[in-house]
Amino acid sequence: MSRTSTPLAHDVVRFDAVRKVYGRSTNTVTALDDLSIGLERATFTAVMGPSGSGKSTFLQCAAGLDRPTSGTVRLDGADLSTLGERALTRLRRERIGFVFQAFNLLPALSVLENVTLPLRLAGRRPKKAEVDEVIERVGLAARRTSRPGELSGGQQQRVAIARALITRPAVIFGDEPTGALDSRTAREVLVLLREAVQGAEQTVVMVTHDPVAAAHADRVLFLSDGRIAGALDRPTVEAVAERMTRLGARADERVARGDAR
Ligand code: ADP
């Protein structure tokens, strides 16, 4: 069985006994249920699970966008519960990159301006060589003055990846980053994320429902009812799809029994 909870210093994301309960008194939902997991630096992890299994909550807590009800979340060594809002914002800006399904680019800004925005928000002056390197890495050197509206979906997502890479974050979180892309373009985006892990020693954590996307990861974590329901190392599309079918069937049985959460 693969490692799911042994504490190790090189875990860049670490959850210990994390619970997240939404709502109050009689009307509560346990989104994360005593979850302990470590994600090693320079690895690519996909997080999967049926709808409502806690994937978004996991990502939100890992990125310091939401606070757990109890337990500790560490990111790049920092215990997020000890940080105030200001320190959390700074940590998110400097140590975390985000890539979303909907790209979330600013339409009025050029590719170059979108990519360098996180640096400028942090009060840092973009260094030309660094910016050029990142824009070249995602294959958009010829499009640096274009606006997002002039680019294809795949190109827009590559801008978003460059924007996530520019601060050299410890972790890049992806929320269905290939959800809006056709399969060929999705593959290009996944290859870029994989290169970030291999070349720049970054860590990628990606929520996806697509077994093909998940098979690009080093490891797939399966969530069910807010718990880790298993993990697959060096996943294949078939193995991921098979696990998801089983988890989905279990979730359907619970709905039929009337104890869905
Ligand atoms: P997933 O991303 O796997 O679909 P979520 O993390 O979004 O799962 O949700 C896990 C559970 O927590 C679900 O039952 C969901 O309805 C509930 N939940 C998520 N966010 C909230 C919220 N803000 N308020 C109340 N319940 C929530």
Side-chain angles (χ1 to χ4, degrees), residues 22 29 31 50-57 261:
Y22 289 109
V29 175
S51 176
S53 59
K55 303 180 296 294
S56 305
T57 307
R261 300 160 350 126

Side-chain angles (χ1 to χ4, degrees), residues 65 98-104 157 160 163 173-178:
L65 290 164
F98 290 98
V99 184
F100 302 95
Q101 175 167 352
F103 319 137
N104 294 8
Q157 196 60 308
R163 182 183 57 184
F173 290 107
D175 192 355
E176 298 276 6
T178 58

Side-chain angles (χ1 to χ4, degrees), residues 8-30:
L8 280 179
H10 54 256
D11 283 342
V12 69
V13 177
R14 166 121 219 112
F15 277 50
D16 283 294
V18 172
R19 282 175 67 75
K20 176 68 188 179
V21 181
Y22 289 109
R24 292 196 187 281
S25 63
T26 53
N27 193 14
T28 61
V29 175
T30 304

